[in-house]
Amino acid sequence: MTQTATQVTRRLRRPTFSDGTGPVLAVLALLLVALAFVGPAYSEPSGYLALLKRAAPLMILAIGQYFVIVSGGFDLSVGSLVTAEVVIAARLLDGDESATLWVIPLLLAIGAVVGLVNGLVTTRLLVPSFIVTLGMLLVLDGAVFLWTGGAPRGSLTEAFRTVGREGFEVPLLGQVPWSVLLLAALVVAAVVFMRSGRGRTLVAVGDNETAVRLGGGSVEGMRLLAFVLSGISAAVAAILLGGFAGVSAQVGEGLEFQVITAVVLGGVVLGGGRGSVVAAMAGALTLEALFSLLNLLGVSGGLESAVQGVIIIAAVAYAALGRSKFRTRRTA
């Protein structure tokens, strides 16, 4: 019997709290307790707020990367986009406080345009997103180098840097960074979005795009939206990193691999269709907490890349094993 559009739509899978959230939160809790024993700074709430401040850009990137991965794609361009955004901001601002009000919206627009280009090439020309975004990474890296000669010019304004490095005083907690407040707002927005019909459809696109088409959903439109949101999240992360770390031609270097590691650490399945946005953000915070703990223990920073590689390989192997068992049960 042919299914109606309504019947198919009802079968679209809603992401649940159990989609990787529980395990990553347990690991995160253990790391936070370990930090309290190893690092004196973590004996006060200010230490954990500082951790959140450092992790905020990666957690925001994880939101955008989650949208892309859960819909069945990849976005490898976010690191180079972050670098490009910071370099462009410094060049356009050049210390002019009055320019801050129009430069920030411009950066968000640039992020959206880059995401739009990635999405259009992926959905309209049917080029795999891995190839598209890898090409965009190289394009942005080359453009930044040609424009700066390897040495960024200009400077960021104090108003621009406020969100990334300043905060406000709260009794008992001390200074709460503005970046943490912004992160909290984006977390709420992401959760509300994923609980909506559009959010469930986004997950279903990665799980079973045929069912989405039969239900009257737009597979191409949802994937395009995911890339645009990823580009905007990279722009927001660039604003925070620019305020926190200043201008550098390497500010976004390696972030694309860190954020993918964070997302898969949160239990989001590469290939799409499974995972929670909360778990993806928890994965980013867990990764930052892990690196902080390794740093306090005096472990070489070179181990970070090895840890990321192990996490990605283990996550992909685990997902492949799960799919194999699922197919075995269906054919039994």
Side-chain angles (χ1 to χ4, degrees):
M1 181 181 295
T2 303
Q3 293 176 307
T4 66
T6 302
Q7 289 173 326
V8 172
T9 302
R10 286 175 179 172
R11 294 180 62 188
L12 298 182
R13 186 178 182 275
R14 171 183 283 186
T16 64
F17 184 81
S18 62
D19 287 345
T21 310
V24 74
L25 288 181
V27 174
L28 177 59
L30 290 175
L31 288 172
L32 295 179
V33 171
L35 283 171
F37 282 100
V38 175
Y42 294 94
S43 61
E44 300 289 338
S46 58
Y48 292 103
L49 287 174
L51 175 65
L52 274 175
K53 181 179 180 179
R54 294 194 303 272
L58 186 63
M59 293 177 73
I60 291 170
L61 282 174
I63 295 174
Q65 191 71 229
Y66 165 80
F67 292 145
V68 175
I69 289 180
V70 84
S71 65
F74 276 100
D75 190 352
L76 296 177
S77 66
V78 291
S80 57
L81 179 55
V82 167
T83 299
E85 295 270 24
V86 173
V87 169
I88 291 171
R91 189 72 174 271
L92 294 178
L93 290 169
D94 200 17
D96 181 6
E97 295 287 347
S98 64
T100 305
L101 288 178
W102 63 266
V103 167
I104 289 179
L106 177 62
L107 296 180
L108 296 175
I110 291 172
V113 169
V114 171
L116 182 64
V117 171
N118 285 337
L120 286 174
V121 175
T122 299
T123 59
R124 303 301 181 187
L125 301 183
L126 303 181
V127 180
S129 59
F130 183 90
I131 301 300
V132 174
T133 56
L134 177 61
M136 182 62 75
L137 180 155
L138 297 174
V139 168
L140 291 173
D141 278 351
V144 167
F145 183 80
L146 286 174
W147 197 27
T148 64
R153 287 171 282 177
S155 61
L156 301 174
T157 61
E158 289 300 316
F160 184 92
R161 301 192 67 178
T162 295
V163 179
R165 67 177 180 178
E166 301 293 340
F168 57 97
E169 293 295 329
V170 174
L172 301 179
L173 293 179
Q175 188 181 75
V176 177
W178 288 112
S179 57
V180 173
L181 191 64
L182 175 62
L183 173 64
L186 292 178
V187 168
V188 172
V191 170
V192 170
F193 173 76
M194 291 310 300
R195 288 183 176 274
S196 69
R198 190 175 290 268
R200 293 196 296 273
T201 303
L202 185 68
V203 176
V205 165
D207 187 29
N208 189 342
E209 65 177 63
T210 301
V212 176
R213 295 186 194 279
L214 290 174
S218 172
V219 172
E220 291 77 13
M222 294 308 302
R223 285 182 172 149
L224 185 62
L225 175 62
F227 278 106
V228 171
L229 292 175
S230 180
I232 293 174
S233 74
V236 176
I239 294 170
L240 295 184
L241 281 170
F244 181 73
V247 184
S248 169
Q250 289 81 38
V251 66
E253 186 175 354
L255 279 177
E256 60 276 358
F257 299 113
Q258 285 188 36
V259 72
I260 290 174
T261 304
V263 171
V264 298
L265 181 61
V268 181
V269 177
L270 296 178
R274 295 291 186 277
S276 158
V277 67
V278 173
M281 290 181 286
L285 182 56
T286 300
L287 196 63
E288 186 64 39
L290 174 61
F291 291 157
S292 297
L293 180 61
L294 293 176
N295 183 57
L296 288 171
L297 293 174
V299 178
S300 171
L303 187 62
E304 292 184 5
S305 296
V307 170
Q308 292 179 57
V310 169
I311 291 172
I312 291 175
I313 293 172
V316 173
Y318 178 77
L321 181 63
R323 286 193 295 267
S324 176
K325 289 181 176 179
F326 177 72
R327 287 194 296 267
T328 301
R329 286 196 300 269
R330 291 194 64 180
T331 57

